[in-house]
Amino acid sequence: MALELYLDLFSQPARSVYIFAKINNIKFDFKKITLFAGEQYGEEYGKINMMRKVPAMRDGEFHLAESIAIMMYLSEKFQTPDHWYPTDIQKRARVNEYLSWQHTAVRMHGTRVFWLRLMIPKMLGEEVPKDKMAAALEDLDGSLQLIEEKFLQDRPFIAGDDISLADLVAIVEIMQPVGSGLVVFEKRPKLSGWRNRVRAAIGPELFDEAHQIILSAQEMVKSMDGSTLQPFKPKILRLFL
Amino acid sequence: MSAESHSLYFQNGEGFLSASINMGLPEGQTLQLDTMTVELFLDLHSQPCRAVYLFAKKANIPFEYKKVDLASGEQYGEEFGQISMVRKVPVLKDGDFILTESIAILMYLAEKFSTPDHWYPAEPQKRARVNEYLSWQHKAIRESGSKIFWFRAMVPLLTGAPVDQERMDSAVEDLTSSLTIFEEKFLQKRSFILGQDISLADLVAIVELMQPVGTGLDVFEGRPLLGEWRDRVKKELGESLFDEAHHVIMNAHTLPQELEDKGMLEFLKPRLKKLFN
């Protein structure tokens, strides 16, 4: 049985796993889970991942959730080039440091901005108070600043001269608010330079392909059926507002 | 001083470099440079600090304990800012190498000090299980456990009133969901998350669960399997070490008074509000 990756490219962590597998020529079955159709709540998917999130991986009998765990597993299993997850203890620590920090920083803030700017007003028809929007943007800004001042500094990539899992995880998260129409890179030359390097290292074609869905999010919501999200409205509002 | 003959030797395995060199030292005196001891900047009120502390102690990792007094706002001072611009604990300093994020620190220590395999197994599927837990927990148990701690211990102090019931119920609901996932997916009927042996996953889990416990909310009540796991973890770490590490959080009720005594209330209010709005 081939390796299976359960993905929806709307999701940031699904994109990082997708890009990692493709760039390393890892053969896998792309199992699409359409989040906005609620497929993750179906009985079948519950057997794959009881946490009902994407991405998920199935390698024979072995099931694994959490994009970071999946990529570390794949890097080991397929002996991917060292720079992705360096064996040098201090370089690896730098990657681990970023991967840990980002959960409650850029990931959290970028996701929130995406929902407040696009999904909540356009799909749920709920107005977002100005002060909440401002606070979310401020938080995201703080995270981006820290990425520039602490994680990048004057290095080409987070761990040094080469791209690693840290940059991959960082870029997919930053692209989420970009997908909601937020101008992120244009005002930040350092981040912009890093983004260009990351895109080049991944390969522009693969990068663009992986981000096609999120970059067309603004268009998609116009024709998407908001009723599938309505049952989750209270939970969503509690989570993001 | 005449140029005496020098002696230079290593004590391998202990990482000590001893050198008698012509530095004007009296004959026979040596200069000890310890290349293995790391500095750990900690405040045991903090869950991730407890995980790092417990691991270092349990695995006999040589470290210098550098206390960062969060209640005094030491993390906002200039000196600590030189250590870490993120201004959080724990922080590891190994020579010139500075590392934040407890998970990264734990993995670094496990590697550097070749700790027993069960903490962070080399076998890929076992390691993946640990990684899976360590990744998931940030926005699950850690988040709701921390919220409950702040809502119960700190918010009344900051606002003069208890946190509104809806928010409190929400946080408890989130923690409950996380505990259910923890029991049904991560623990199941195993002794520890990975099975027979304790790992970094159990360590990170237990310190987070103890945070709400410190405010008097017994998360283990009504969850016998969870309680049994907690007892096993305690036993494995050593009861006295466990209790020592959790002493300050179990006395968290003194925190508000401590903050007031240190005159830190006004300083911390806006910062804390922002953290848990």
Side-chain angles (χ1 to χ4, degrees), chain A:
Chain A
M1 191 164 99
L3 184 79
E4 292 174 357
L5 294 176
Y6 293 78
L7 308 169
D8 180 335
L9 297 181
F10 230 101
S11 141
Q12 308 92 302
R15 289 197 293 274
S16 56
V17 170
Y18 178 74
I19 290 171
F20 186 68
K22 294 285 277 195
I23 198 176
N24 285 296
N25 296 309
I26 294 169
K27 276 205 158 85
F28 66 94
D29 272 350
F30 187 124
K31 304 290 231 178
K32 184 161 189 227
I33 299 293
T34 306
L35 297 175
F36 289 123
E39 248 186 273
Q40 69 276 37
Y41 297 113
E43 202 187 306
E44 222 182 289
Y45 193 66
K47 296 180 190 153
I48 299 295
N49 179 13
M50 70 167 288
M51 292 184 298
R52 300 185 174 283
K53 292 188 177 180
V54 290
M57 179 199 84
R58 183 156 68 169
D59 184 10
E61 299 285 309
F62 183 63
H63 293 217
L64 191 62
E66 296 295 316
S67 64
I68 289 174
I70 292 170
M71 288 187 290
M72 289 174 173
Y73 177 79
L74 293 176
S75 76
E76 174 67 38
K77 181 174 171 119
F78 293 94
Q79 293 291 293
T80 55
D82 186 72
H83 63 82
W84 286 112
Y85 195 42
T87 40
D88 172 83
I89 192 179
Q90 289 188 359
K91 279 196 177 151
R92 177 168 286 207
R94 282 278 162 257
V95 176
N96 287 335
E97 184 185 44
Y98 182 81
L99 294 178
S100 174
W101 170 83
Q102 59 90 35
H103 286 277
T104 53
V106 66
R107 171 158 173 69
M108 184 163 85
H109 302 136
T111 299
R112 190 170 178 222
V113 167
F114 178 76
W115 279 85
L116 293 187
R117 273 185 67 94
L118 192 65
M119 305 304 290
I120 290 174
K122 299 286 190 288
M123 283 272 282
L124 292 176
E126 188 82 16
E127 205 186 304
V128 173
K130 280 202 166 81
D131 64 325
K132 298 277 183 185
M133 191 69 235
L137 289 172
E138 199 188 315
D139 287 340
L140 178 60
D141 211 60
S143 284
L144 295 178
Q145 195 147 324
L146 211 54
I147 288 177
E148 290 187 327
E149 290 179 13
K150 174 189 164 63
F151 292 103
L152 273 175
Q153 292 177 37
D154 43 22
R155 295 184 285 271
F157 298 96
I158 290 170
D161 291 330
D162 296 296
I163 193 173
S164 72
L165 292 181
D167 306 279
L168 186 52
V169 167
I171 197 72
V172 298
E173 293 296 343
I174 297 174
M175 291 302 284
Q176 201 79 354
V178 170
S180 72
L182 187 72
V183 169
V184 169
F185 295 109
E186 284 75 359
K187 294 188 283 187
R188 293 181 172 277
K190 182 182 252 185
L191 206 65
S192 195
W194 165 80
R195 185 267 323 262
N196 294 339
R197 284 190 291 278
V198 170
R199 186 166 170 264
I202 287 171
E205 245 181 65
L206 174 58
F207 182 89
D208 294 345
E209 183 216 325
H211 287 94
Q212 201 240 331
I213 286 179
I214 199 61
L215 289 178
S216 49
Q218 287 177 283
E219 271 306 304
M220 282 172 75
V221 298
K222 289 180 187 167
S223 52
M224 264 162 93
D225 179 10
S227 64
T228 53
L229 276 189
Q230 285 299 330
F232 302 103
K233 190 168 168 177
K235 200 170 178 191
I236 290 167
L237 295 184
R238 184 160 71 79
L239 198 58
F240 295 116
L241 272 184

Side-chain angles (χ1 to χ4, degrees), chain B:
Chain B
M1 262 225 161
S2 63
E4 301 287 345
S5 63
H6 312 289
S7 65
L8 189 75
Y9 67 97
F10 289 87
Q11 280 181 325
N12 279 332
E14 287 170 8
F16 283 95
L17 168 72
S18 283
S20 296
I21 43 183
N22 187 5
M23 281 178 64
L25 291 173
E27 192 177 355
Q29 272 237 10
T30 54
L31 181 75
Q32 299 267 92
L33 292 171
D34 182 349
T35 60
M36 284 298 266
T37 300
V38 299
E39 288 171 68
L40 295 175
F41 293 79
L42 309 168
D43 180 327
L44 297 181
H45 286 100
S46 140
Q47 309 91 302
C49 285
R50 292 198 292 274
V52 170
Y53 179 75
L54 283 164
F55 184 57
K57 293 285 275 195
K58 178 69 188 172
N60 294 310
I61 291 166
F63 71 95
E64 212 184 309
Y65 186 125
K66 305 283 252 188
K67 188 176 180 203
V68 182
D69 189 0
L70 298 179
S72 297
E74 214 184 309
Q75 70 276 36
Y76 298 114
E78 205 188 300
E79 210 181 306
F80 190 73
Q82 299 294 318
I83 299 291
S84 170
M85 68 185 317
V86 187
R87 298 184 175 282
K88 290 185 179 181
V89 283
V91 181
L92 170 146
K93 191 167 185 289
D94 185 6
D96 289 332
F97 182 67
I98 291 179
L99 187 64
T100 64
E101 293 295 316
S102 65
I103 306 249
I105 293 171
L106 291 167
M107 291 171 173
Y108 181 83
L109 292 174
E111 173 73 34
K112 181 178 170 105
F113 293 95
S114 302
T115 55
D117 183 74
H118 65 82
W119 286 112
Y120 195 44
E123 196 276 311
Q125 288 188 3
K126 282 190 178 162
R127 179 165 286 207
R129 282 277 162 257
V130 178
N131 288 335
E132 186 187 47
Y133 182 78
L134 296 180
S135 174
W136 172 81
Q137 60 90 34
H138 286 276
K139 282 288 282 177
I141 291 185
R142 171 155 174 70
E143 188 178 62
S144 45
S146 297
K147 258 194 187 151
I148 288 174
F149 173 78
W150 282 107
F151 285 174
R152 285 173 65 98
M154 297 303 299
V155 168
L157 177 70
L158 300 181
T159 64
V163 76
D164 76 69
Q165 199 56 44
E166 206 187 311
R167 297 190 81 194
M168 190 63 193
D169 289 344
S170 212
V172 173
E173 197 189 311
D174 288 341
L175 182 63
T176 304
S177 307
S178 290
L179 290 177
T180 302
I181 293 176
F182 183 75
E183 284 190 294
E184 291 181 10
K185 176 193 160 61
F186 290 102
L187 197 56
Q188 294 177 34
K189 290 195 162 65
R190 296 185 282 269
S191 297
F192 298 99
I193 290 170
L194 281 194
Q196 287 307 303
D197 296 303
I198 195 172
S199 70
L200 293 181
D202 304 280
L203 192 54
V204 167
I206 196 72
V207 297
E208 293 293 344
L209 289 176
M210 291 303 288
Q211 201 76 354
V213 173
T215 67
L217 182 71
D218 187 1
V219 302
F220 300 101
E221 195 187 311
R223 292 181 178 268
L225 285 180
L226 202 66
E228 285 163 27
W229 164 81
R230 180 225 26 222
D231 293 339
R232 277 191 292 274
V233 172
K234 256 186 116 159
K235 186 158 178 250
E236 192 61 37
L237 292 172
E239 300 249 354
S240 70
L241 173 60
F242 184 89
D243 290 340
E244 183 214 325
H246 286 92
H247 179 75
V248 291
I249 204 61
M250 292 309 290
N251 290 291
H253 57 273
T254 64
L255 202 54
Q257 190 59 51
E258 199 185 334
L259 285 174
E260 241 182 288
D261 292 344
K262 288 176 173 168
M264 287 305 301
L265 228 45
E266 288 314 307
F267 177 80
L268 286 176
K269 260 184 195 176
R271 288 169 173 82
L272 296 175
K273 263 186 171 166
K274 204 176 196 305
L275 274 179
F276 286 100
N277 203 18

